[in-house]
Amino acid sequence: MHPFTPETARALCAVAEGVPRWLNRYSSYILLKAAELKAPQIDEDTLQVGLAYARNQLRGQAGLTPQDYYLLDLVLEKGAISDDSITLDELERLKAETFNEILPRLDKLVEFDLLKRMPTERATEYAPVPLLEDEPEDA
């Protein structure tokens, strides 16, 4: 027997957008949670509990500062952030004068698998990883 049903495997691949690193990381968290729950197979309910656990693990990583969390929350609220979309007020709250000043912090959040850099020809744009985009409102 496989740990994931075909449906939950497809759902997990969709959440990971086919990115191997995300797929491996999310799978690991889901399998840990399933083992804790003594689930014989990852059905839809176990998958949702596992994804919630993965979200919490990603958001609770060591090495994130309060400013990192503020920046992450700003990107989650806006849906994406770029030089074109950030306001002067938001930059001021981030204690920065230009978008370029926050690029290292945005790249750090990419390294922590919290944000992804979007392919665009115009401006540098960052968006939440799908796992965080699908975050329930009451999480």
Side-chain angles (χ1 to χ4, degrees):
M1 178 169 15
H2 298 287
F4 290 86
T5 66
E7 296 78 19
T8 57
R10 279 190 289 279
L12 176 58
C13 287
V15 170
E17 290 187 340
V19 176
R21 186 173 84 202
W22 296 348
L23 185 60
N24 289 336
R25 191 168 196 181
Y26 301 167
S27 295
S28 176
Y29 290 137
I30 292 164
L31 290 168
L32 285 171
K33 194 60 170 174
E36 180 185 310
L37 298 171
K38 296 180 177 34
Q41 193 169 37
I42 310 225
D43 59 14
E44 183 61 32
D45 290 339
T46 306
L47 177 67
Q48 292 310 315
V49 171
L51 289 173
Y53 177 70
R55 269 185 215 100
N56 288 336
Q57 294 302 303
L58 285 175
R59 282 172 98 33
Q61 295 176 75
L64 292 172
T65 66
Q67 281 192 321
D68 294 331
Y69 284 112
Y70 176 76
L71 182 54
L72 175 62
D73 288 341
L74 178 63
V75 177
L76 286 168
E77 180 184 309
K78 291 176 75 86
I81 195 169
S82 71
D83 195 12
D84 289 344
S85 70
I86 195 163
T87 67
L88 290 174
D89 184 51
E90 290 164 344
L91 281 171
E92 189 175 289
R93 285 186 277 159
L94 290 165
K95 298 179 180 18
E97 292 182 25
T98 68
F99 185 73
N100 285 345
E101 290 178 47
I102 64 170
L103 285 175
R105 290 176 19 217
L106 289 164
D107 287 334
K108 175 184 177 182
L109 294 175
V110 169
E111 289 175 28
F112 276 69
D113 294 328
L114 295 164
L115 296 182
K116 60 184 176 179
R117 192 168 178 169
M118 302 300 292
T120 177
E121 294 178 16
R122 292 185 15 246
T124 304
E125 184 175 41
Y126 294 82
V129 295
L131 182 65
L132 297 182
E133 287 178 331
D134 298 337
E135 194 168 7
E137 292 297 319
D138 58 353

